[in-house]
Amino acid sequence: MTHPFLDLPPLTAERFAAIADRVARLLDTRQDVVITQGEALLPLEGAIRAAAGPGTTALNVITGPYGQTFGDWLRDCGATVHDLSVPFHTAVSAEQVRAALAEHPETDFVSLVHAEAATGNTNPVAEIGEVVREHGALFYLDAVASVGAEPVLPDAWGVDLCVIGAQKAMGGPAGVSAISVSERAWSRMAANPHAPRRSYLSLLDWKERWIDGGRKALLHAPAQLEMLALEACLERIEAAGLTTVMSRHRRAALAVRAGVAALGGGLEPYVYEQREAAPVATTLRVPAGLVASELVTQALRSDPALPLAAGGGALAKEMIRVNHYGPDATPDAVHRSLSALGTALAERGLTVDPEGARRAADSAWQ
């Protein structure tokens, strides 16, 4: 038998390189872009292990769970790590980063998550990048959740290692990811005797065998279907226009916040300040006495396809995530999510106004 997903001709090096060029255009970067053959945790970990080691002093900014993970990796590499933590319902400021760097002037590596889909906040990377650049440290950024929902500009922001994934706002596959790498970052990796080599985590292998080789021969058989899906999602973004795609995510976030305020029932935005809320997903705090995971389960009974999820770990008790990204960045997905949450709250005996929520969401979408 035949199948459209099977028996495809092998993906050529030329086509692989063309897809990487499209990612570079998406990021408006002149840096080298490597498409890594795995979920974004692959380049996130690979970049830290390549650029950090026993001689590294890192400032690790924690605004959510991924920031905590990066600190663990840095310590495992032997780096000296200073954590800058802020409450998960807020964002870090450039002034806080500046103060931390002044307190630890030996810092030569800064790690930051742009938008934390897990907590719903977003950080002012442009301003932070200026501070990091003035200090002279290498700047590592996780832009997996933000790309496609808000601007991601490694060159303009002075980001040396910028990791993206396609599975959220880009509406693409989870099985491949990408990283842009500055010349400064390549030099740091080359000078690090502990950087992974001949390893699936190795970025230097891609540099020496792929980029320096003129992108003529792939290191190994690529994830064919995922690469084709990435190409398709880039084509879709290009056709719609990146500005249009980002606007749709921003409007979805504004509509959810406005709708929740009108809905009542005790739900409120988890991230207090709208300017600190990520366009990719909106997190909500449930009223006292309710458990977020139970409320989500109740809401999903009417429509299991709704983009609703409880927070991870301990946050499952207090936080609901409305994952209005990719194909769910639409008024319909927002309306259905608010309606289902309103029904679940009403079944718990709370007073809600679903029609008021719909009107408020529609008004905010305009």
Side-chain angles (χ1 to χ4, degrees):
M1 63 175 290
T2 61
H3 191 283
F5 292 159
L6 302 174
D7 305 319
L8 295 169
L11 194 73
T12 64
E14 181 180 15
R15 191 166 183 182
F16 191 102
I19 297 171
D21 291 342
R22 286 183 122 146
V23 173
R25 288 195 294 272
L26 178 74
L27 300 177
D28 195 20
T29 182
R30 298 174 63 88
Q31 297 178 5
D32 291 325
V33 169
V34 175
I35 301 181
T36 44
Q37 303 297 282
E39 201 270 339
L41 283 174
L42 173 65
L44 286 169
E45 181 175 359
I48 281 180
R49 296 196 181 278
T56 301
T57 300
L59 175 66
N60 179 51
V61 182
I62 300 176
T63 60
Y66 281 101
Q68 294 171 325
T69 298
F70 300 159
D72 292 340
W73 286 340
L74 285 161
R75 290 182 177 88
D76 190 54
C77 290
T80 299
V81 182
H82 302 289
D83 289 326
L84 170 57
S85 300
V86 300
F88 288 0
H89 62 261
T90 186
V92 71
S93 69
E95 291 71 25
Q96 287 172 304
V97 173
R98 189 186 300 277
L101 291 173
E103 185 178 354
H104 305 288
E106 71 280 15
T107 298
D108 59 3
F109 187 98
V110 175
S111 51
L112 175 71
V113 178
H114 186 183
E116 287 266 10
T119 52
N121 54 27
T122 191
N123 293 301
V125 181
E127 292 86 350
I128 292 170
E130 184 176 347
V131 172
V132 175
R133 187 164 54 245
E134 289 174 1
H135 188 81
L138 206 71
F139 192 12
Y140 162 101
L141 183 70
D142 171 356
V144 173
S146 55
V147 65
E150 55 187 306
V152 176
L153 301 167
D155 293 10
W157 297 344
V159 178
D160 296 287
L161 295 158
C162 182
V163 176
I164 68 167
Q167 69 268 33
K168 289 189 168 65
M170 289 177 65
V176 288
S177 47
I179 179 170
S180 66
V181 186
S182 71
E183 287 300 324
R184 216 162 60 115
W186 284 131
S187 297
R188 177 77 69 92
M189 295 179 202
N192 180 9
H194 302 281
R197 304 304 299 270
R198 300 298 183 266
S199 162
Y200 211 60
L201 282 173
S202 177
L203 293 175
L204 282 173
D205 287 357
W206 281 98
K207 165 68 170 169
E208 295 178 0
R209 299 170 58 193
W210 170 245
I211 294 172
D212 292 349
R215 303 194 302 179
K216 301 296 185 185
L218 290 163
L219 273 65
H220 44 70
Q224 168 119 323
L225 297 181
E226 287 81 358
M227 288 295 296
L228 295 176
L230 175 60
E231 182 181 49
C233 101
L234 289 164
E235 289 175 350
R236 188 165 59 183
I237 291 171
E238 291 166 1
L242 180 58
T243 300
T244 298
V245 174
M246 291 190 296
S247 175
R248 194 168 68 241
H249 286 85
R250 179 182 59 80
R251 290 179 178 186
L254 292 173
V256 171
R257 289 178 72 91
V260 163
L263 179 65
L267 279 183
E268 61 182 16
Y270 187 83
V271 178
Y272 300 149
E273 299 292 335
Q274 181 176 298
R275 61 184 174 81
E276 297 177 343
V280 68
T282 299
T283 48
L284 307 173
R285 192 183 305 273
V286 300
L290 295 187
V291 176
S293 58
E294 295 176 356
L295 198 65
V296 167
T297 298
Q298 197 171 344
L300 290 176
R301 285 181 189 143
S302 61
D303 185 355
L306 286 173
L308 298 175
L315 294 175
K317 293 182 178 180
E318 61 179 314
M319 179 196 288
I320 292 173
R321 290 171 48 188
V322 185
N323 295 320
H324 46 68
Y325 51 70
D328 287 318
T330 64
D332 181 64
V334 170
H335 288 152
R336 290 187 295 112
S337 296
L338 291 171
S339 176
L341 289 172
T343 298
L345 290 167
E347 289 174 352
R348 298 295 183 100
L350 296 167
T351 301
V352 294
D353 181 4
E355 285 305 313
R358 171 179 282 272
R359 289 193 299 271
D362 284 341
S363 178
W365 189 277
Q366 302 305 318

